[in-house]
Amino acid sequence: MQLLAGRKTRTEHPEFEGRGAALQGPLLSLRNVSRRFVTSRHNTTALDDVSLDINAGEFVCVVGPSGCGKSTLLNLVAGLDRPTAGEMLFDGRPLKGAAADRVVVFQEAALYPWLNVRANVEFGLKMKHVSGSKRRELVDQYLELVNLSGFQKAFVHELSGGMKQRVQLARALAVEPRMLLMDEPFAALDAQTRDVLQAELQEIWQRTGSTILFITHNVREAALLGDRVIVMTPSPGRFKSEIPVPLKRPRDPDTHAVVDFAAEIRTQLQHDEYPVRAKDSGYVI
Amino acid sequence: MSSDSVTIGADASPSPLLTLAGKPVAFVRSKFWLFVRITIFYAGLLALWQLLYNMEIWSPYLFPSPREVWDELWQYYENGLLQDSIRETMRRMFIGYTIAFVAGTLIGIACGAMRWVDETLGSLVLGLQSLPSIAWIPLAILWYGLGDQAIIFVVFMGSVCAIAISARDGVRNIPPLQQRAARVFGASGWQTIRYVTFPGMLPSMAQGMKLGWSFSWRSLMAGELIVGGTIGVGGLLQTGRDLNKMELVIATMLVIVAIGLIVDRLFFGPMESWVRHRWGLSQT
């Protein structure tokens, strides 16, 4: 309920209306969603009674320690998995299965090594049966957006980790999805590359007006990128709190505002991980 | 000498033809010297052969000279029988192998994609793989008689299992993430097979096709020898035996080795390394 109240205040801001702004309600709406995994040995509740609304044009980050159900949440929204309880609405209609209106950028390179960069970006468009000339146009446009125009003919194994993630981003954006789902996309990169890609993602988000659900375990990243940050706790996976990020854009990861905000998020996380110590000791960030 | 004054030990040695302290000097590793070494080895082998012939340990009709073998080969080339035999053999190989490729690929994909098929048909394929394809010859003769079909059947049985197993492994080894990515973009089942499964299974397939070819080639020779007929490389071998012509027997054996090597080195080898490189699997 607390989460829903938070949403209402955000919909009043017109600057959050991006692509697909025509609809009235939220773009994505989860109502009391749970996902339990039942095996012969034991049952796990990966997600327990979770509710969430995401409006068109919003950038929502989900942070939490590993095993808190972040990836389960993303898989449900992507349509790769089904909830065991609750209701999921996308664009006002029940969410059923995977479709190109919700596209995932994976942590590891989920690119196709036998295709060159261009053909990889083209992949989603081919699945949608987009015509050849239209495909060429879109691929050019999105390769330029991720600064990879010079690498069209390169093969995946010739690219660095950061470049691979840019190809993934271009491939996802090329199908012009209603919502972009990012599953710790920068977690496997080195710090410098991550900084560059975070800045580029901010810029791309502002330019395209995409709606993004961004999963991460990096609190600084969440503070840097999100309009709102949702903090999750593990076993069972629950939403602990939702923190609006009131900072102006574009944000710089080294400014005090972002660092302080990251500290606040970390406090929320630490309460849970070390409940006793958190009470009687100050936090060191 | 003067260009690099700090070289010490083995690297400073001026004699490039030698290996020093167990380390081959760069010169010895070059392509040119490899060629020279191979040439010297085979020239030596040929000289030894000639020497043994000259010593007359065995009677000449059991142990012909290199020259006699060459003449025999040339004669069969001149009268066209060699070319006809090779053509006939390759025709059988092509038909049997093509059918095995199609059937093996389909069986392999079915095994890779569906667990219950793998548990049933897959176990049968694995079992049959351990049966040498020459063991199919009696059955093939009884079913098809002493003819082309029996030989083609044996060729088919020689490679179908190897190709099916590699196709199955190819499908199994496609990273799940690549298939999930296809689902995310709304790919249909057929699109996933066409754009992810087929290309993804190719590296494994290339290996299986090469292995299947070499199995089939051995089966084909056995089949031609036993099933008979005068046309075909195996038939030529049999003719040599029937006529007590050791020159022809050895000449034909050399032809069999040559064809096997040429197909392997000029077709399957480059295909495999191309696929590995293109798929980013090769180390260099």
Side-chain angles (χ1 to χ4, degrees), chain A residues 98 104 112 114 127 129 155 157, chain B residues 178 183-184 191 195 199 278:
Chain A
V104 184
Y112 300 109
W114 54 87
M127 298 304 107
H129 304 288
F155 280 98
H157 57 94
Chain B
Q178 289 179 2
R183 270 180 74 194
V184 158
Q191 280 180 319
Y195 293 109
R278 177 80 186 265

Side-chain angles (χ1 to χ4, degrees), chain B residues 217-244:
Chain B
W217 182 238
R218 284 156 178 75
S219 319
L220 176 58
M221 289 303 114
E224 285 190 342
L225 261 177
I226 294 169
V227 173
T230 46
I231 314 171
V233 178
L236 223 51
L237 211 54
Q238 187 63 22
T239 307
R241 189 200 132 179
D242 290 343
L243 300 177
N244 238 346

Side-chain angles (χ1 to χ4, degrees), chain A:
Chain A
M1 296 316 281
Q2 179 193 5
L3 297 170
L4 297 180
R7 174 191 64 85
K8 274 174 197 157
T9 59
R10 303 223 55 86
T11 41
E12 287 159 16
H13 295 275
E15 68 262 36
F16 289 110
E17 308 246 315
R19 197 183 279 161
L23 78 161
Q24 290 296 310
L27 180 61
L28 175 74
S29 178
L30 307 186
R31 290 279 167 279
N32 310 103
V33 169
S34 295
R35 177 68 173 99
R36 288 163 61 79
F37 293 99
V38 180
T39 61
S40 53
R41 278 199 197 155
H42 54 125
N43 301 343
T44 322
T45 306
L47 270 185
D48 186 31
D49 195 22
V50 156
S51 296
L52 169 71
D53 283 333
I54 295 178
N55 297 309
E58 244 187 323
F59 198 134
V60 177
C61 288
V62 177
V63 285
S66 50
C68 71
K70 310 187 290 270
S71 292
T72 306
L73 174 72
L74 184 124
N75 283 341
L76 289 175
V77 176
L80 294 170
D81 194 6
R82 287 180 185 183
T84 40
E87 189 190 23
M88 300 200 297
L89 295 173
F90 188 76
D91 207 356
R93 279 184 290 272
L95 191 153
K96 271 184 203 158
D101 54 6
R102 285 157 280 128
V103 169
V104 184
V105 176
F106 297 93
Q107 177 185 339
E108 299 155 73
L111 299 169
Y112 300 109
W114 54 87
L115 300 175
N116 63 21
V117 166
R118 193 176 177 88
N120 263 294
V121 176
E122 216 176 359
F123 183 84
L125 297 167
K126 240 178 170 170
M127 298 304 107
K128 279 176 76 182
H129 304 288
V130 176
S131 74
S133 58
K134 182 75 181 156
R135 281 207 305 260
R136 269 190 292 283
E137 190 187 309
L138 284 166
V139 171
D140 284 338
Q141 184 186 329
Y142 284 101
L143 275 175
E144 202 185 319
L145 188 70
V146 300
N147 298 321
L148 275 180
S149 292
F151 294 91
Q152 303 199 8
K153 295 274 165 68
F155 280 98
V156 174
H157 57 94
E158 296 165 341
L159 303 177
S160 66
M163 284 158 91
K164 283 178 191 165
Q165 293 309 75
R166 286 181 203 196
V167 178
Q168 271 212 76
L169 188 58
R171 178 175 73 174
L173 289 168
V175 296
E176 305 194 322
R178 302 287 303 278
M179 190 171 197
L180 201 56
L181 308 170
M182 306 188 79
D183 191 2
E184 306 199 32
F186 308 144
L189 304 176
D190 62 84
Q192 281 117 320
T193 312
R194 196 184 306 141
D195 282 349
V196 172
L197 283 177
Q198 283 168 350
E200 285 186 7
L201 181 63
Q202 274 198 79
E203 200 193 316
I204 287 169
W205 173 71
Q206 286 183 311
R207 270 166 71 177
T208 58
S210 320
T211 311
I212 300 181
L213 176 63
F214 192 101
I215 306 285
T216 180
H217 61 250
N218 183 333
V219 289
R220 180 97 68 99
E221 190 166 69
L224 179 68
L225 297 172
D227 288 328
R228 290 190 269 159
V229 177
I230 291 164
V231 178
M232 285 188 75
T233 55
S235 39
R238 281 190 182 132
F239 287 178
K240 187 187 181 206
S241 54
E242 181 191 331
I243 312 165
V245 188
L247 309 175
K248 273 188 191 143
R249 294 182 190 267
R251 299 174 189 160
D252 184 320
D254 296 321
T255 52
H256 282 296
V258 169
V259 174
D260 291 346
F261 211 89
E264 199 184 316
I265 299 168
R266 190 161 311 191
T267 312
Q268 291 281 337
L269 280 168
Q270 278 186 344
H271 262 300
D272 259 78
E273 276 183 283
Y274 313 102
V276 182
R277 246 204 294 164
K279 265 180 192 165
D280 46 31
S281 73
Y283 300 113
V284 182
I285 306 298

